[in-house]
Amino acid sequence: MAWRASPKPKRHFNLHASDSISHIPHNPKDALTDPNWLRAMHDEFSALIANKTWELVPRQSDMNIIRCMWIFRHKRNSNGSFEQYKARLVCDGRSQQLLLYVDDIILTTSSDALHQHFMSLLAKEFAMKDLGPLSYFLGLAVTRHPNGLFFSQEKYDAEILERAGMSSCNPAQTPVDTNSKLGASSGSPIDDSTLYRSLAGALQYLTFTRPDITYAVQQIYLHMHALRTTPMHALKRILRYIKGTISHGLHLTKSSLTSLISYTDADWGGCPDTRRSTSGYCVYLGDNLILWSSKRQTTLSRSSAEAEYRGVANVVSETCWLRNLLLELHYPLRRATIVYCDNVSAIYLSGNPVHHQRTKHIEMDIHFVREKVQRGHVRVLHVPSRYQIADIFTKGLPRILFEDFRSSLSFRPPLASTAGVY
């Protein structure tokens, strides 16, 4: 009997890489034999012990054992190059899965001194390391310029357009059609809503840096349970708008942290199906936009003043939370929070102690806002509708007005020095 040698497998070498990257292991045994993954597992376990997430104790016969597993992955830079090995230890207890790993804690503020202060506070509670200036994190690209930061998700924008097959679509100037509103019976039914749900979820994540599409995304989310052709067309319009503004991003500039200024508005009875109102607000810390929202109210408002006042109560609640957060970080605000509203009746209710029959159904909101006003924490002031920035979160706007408000949100193209960095 003669043995014939099998041909040797071809080995492909990467001539451009100085060190080979270890493949992701399929089980802990393979990982333990690789020094790179063994080091990542050791770092993970050491962090759990140092942070007192776990305490290593001898096993007893009456203990309930929870199944554990290791998750391995490569962490890469924004350009796709390899950065480091990551190992996570996950515990699975019946119906719950507890993730015991904190990947990175990164805080970026307009003040270097404030940034160092925040980091020192966190370092007292968690084992941390300085990863250097933030540049790319979970699809969010950050570019530094002399006056501040520029946040963009351009790469993520392009991925969404490619997933939808609309990379070469014609751009739209606004994300919402102002001629009509989406209704539950608009258009004909669509059987398969998989693509719609996938794109809607992706757009929801995109609103982290794009306040300009917040209202449009909120509207398409209302129709995920029974999809029709009209909401699908509305979603594609958002994608066409993103195509035309793919290079835009959110600007944060150096500013003194001295005051909170907010704008709130409500579209009374705007939903064609339930006649519920849509509330929207935005909050500025100094000159920087830090918080925004567009949400349909949970109850029916019987008047425009009621709808507007519910919006005022919502933004006052959020700003109270922000003031407490800054207080815990040892940066208390000395000035009252300014809330701009374009409804005179709502402003009157915030300071007038007289109740009557028409205000009993919103009495809790009235007491809440009025207490903050009396304590000097909040001032509710009037702003003309032409300058009500929160309109962009409650309804579709004409192009000129939309672009004006969009610019007021500090959502603009990158500066000349940041062009072409992606």
Side-chain angles (χ1 to χ4, degrees):
M1 178 180 295
W3 294 91
R4 184 179 65 181
S6 60
K8 293 183 178 180
K10 294 182 179 180
R11 299 181 63 187
H12 299 279
F13 296 94
N14 185 358
L15 301 179
H16 301 283
S18 58
D19 296 322
S20 59
I21 300 176
S22 301
H23 295 290
I24 295 179
H26 298 289
N27 53 67
K29 183 178 179 181
D30 293 341
L32 291 172
T33 59
D34 189 302
N36 294 321
W37 292 114
L38 181 61
R39 190 182 306 109
M41 295 170 70
H42 180 269
D43 293 342
E44 163 73 352
F45 184 78
S46 299
L48 293 174
I49 299 300
N51 294 331
K52 297 182 179 180
T53 305
W54 283 3
E55 182 180 355
L56 194 61
V57 298
R59 178 176 177 179
Q60 305 293 333
S61 58
D62 58 344
M63 288 182 176
N64 294 324
I65 306 302
I66 299 177
R67 185 171 65 93
C68 300
M69 65 183 71
W70 284 96
I71 298 177
F72 306 97
R73 67 182 180 89
H74 293 140
K75 185 175 181 180
R76 298 185 178 275
N77 297 310
S78 58
N79 59 3
S81 61
F82 175 79
E83 181 179 353
Q84 65 181 128
Y85 300 92
K86 286 290 186 180
R88 294 182 178 181
L89 187 56
V90 177
C91 294
D92 186 10
R94 294 186 179 180
S95 61
Q96 292 184 336
Q97 190 177 59
L98 180 62
L99 187 61
L100 300 177
Y101 182 82
V102 177
D103 198 345
D104 293 299
I105 299 178
I106 302 176
L107 290 176
T108 303
T109 67
S110 57
S111 169
D112 292 338
L114 183 59
H115 171 69
Q116 295 176 1
H117 177 69
F118 287 165
M119 294 295 288
S120 64
L121 291 176
L122 290 170
K124 294 179 181 179
E125 302 294 335
F126 303 98
M128 300 180 64
K129 59 181 179 180
D130 189 356
L131 299 179
L134 176 63
S135 60
Y136 191 81
F137 182 71
L138 296 178
L140 174 64
V142 181
T143 305
R144 295 176 179 269
H145 53 81
N147 296 325
L149 302 174
F150 175 72
F151 292 86
S152 173
Q153 292 177 279
E154 182 174 348
K155 182 179 179 182
Y156 188 65
D157 288 344
E159 292 175 356
I160 297 176
L161 292 173
E162 183 178 1
R163 187 192 310 177
M166 298 179 61
S167 299
S168 303
C169 65
N170 295 324
Q173 296 180 330
T174 61
V176 181
D177 183 6
T178 59
N179 294 327
S180 60
K181 293 189 176 183
L182 297 179
S185 59
S186 302
S188 56
I190 296 179
D191 296 331
D192 188 5
S193 60
T194 303
L195 179 61
Y196 183 91
R197 293 173 180 267
S198 174
L199 294 175
L203 291 174
Q204 180 71 18
Y205 181 72
L206 195 58
T207 58
F208 288 168
T209 60
R210 297 197 60 137
D212 56 326
I213 64 171
T214 301
Y215 170 72
V217 174
Q218 182 264 344
Q219 288 293 296
I220 64 173
Y221 250 79
L222 297 177
H223 303 275
M224 295 184 67
H225 61 287
L227 180 60
R228 290 178 172 266
T229 55
T230 302
M232 189 66 184
H233 294 159
L235 186 146
K236 291 183 177 181
R237 183 188 177 96
I238 300 175
L239 296 177
R240 290 173 51 216
Y241 168 75
I242 291 175
K243 173 66 176 179
T245 57
I246 194 169
S247 64
H248 287 48
L250 190 64
H251 292 261
L252 294 183
T253 59
K254 294 181 179 179
S255 174
S256 58
L257 307 181
T258 59
S259 62
L260 282 175
I261 299 176
S262 59
Y263 295 80
T264 178
D265 187 51
D267 182 25
W268 179 45
C271 178
D273 301 314
T274 64
R275 286 305 171 188
R276 293 181 183 177
S277 307
T278 300
S279 293
Y281 61 80
C282 56
V283 182
Y284 293 82
L285 178 58
D287 298 328
N288 295 312
L289 178 69
I290 61 170
L291 188 65
W292 57 89
S293 173
S294 177
K295 188 176 181 180
R296 189 174 66 177
Q297 294 183 359
T298 57
T299 57
L300 194 66
S301 297
R302 298 170 58 185
S303 65
S304 59
E306 178 183 348
E308 295 278 1
Y309 204 88
R310 292 189 191 279
V312 171
N314 289 338
V315 74
V316 169
S317 176
E318 292 295 332
T319 56
C320 287
W321 179 84
L322 287 172
R323 293 178 70 95
N324 289 334
L325 176 62
L326 291 172
L327 179 62
E328 292 179 0
L329 296 173
H330 304 287
Y331 273 84
L333 296 179
R334 306 300 180 186
R335 300 180 180 179
T337 299
I338 304 299
V339 178
Y340 284 112
C341 176
D342 60 3
N343 187 281
V344 177
S345 298
I347 298 172
Y348 178 75
L349 289 174
S350 67
N352 182 19
V354 177
H355 293 276
H356 48 75
Q357 193 68 24
R358 292 186 301 170
T359 63
K360 286 186 177 180
H361 48 288
I362 53 172
E363 189 169 336
M364 294 298 293
D365 285 338
I366 289 177
H367 279 293
F368 170 71
V369 175
R370 186 173 296 156
E371 179 181 336
K372 300 301 179 183
V373 171
Q374 292 176 347
R375 291 185 177 183
H377 297 166
V378 174
R379 293 180 61 195
V380 184
L381 304 177
H382 180 261
V383 62
S385 298
R386 174 61 182 83
Y387 304 103
Q388 176 54 279
I389 303 174
D391 272 354
I392 200 173
F393 301 107
T394 61
K395 59 181 73 72
L397 300 175
R399 181 182 62 84
I400 296 178
L401 187 60
F402 174 82
E403 292 178 351
D404 186 19
F405 287 165
R406 184 182 66 186
S407 179
S408 299
L409 298 174
S410 298
F411 186 80
R412 298 184 293 270
L415 299 178
S417 59
T418 63
V421 297
Y422 303 105

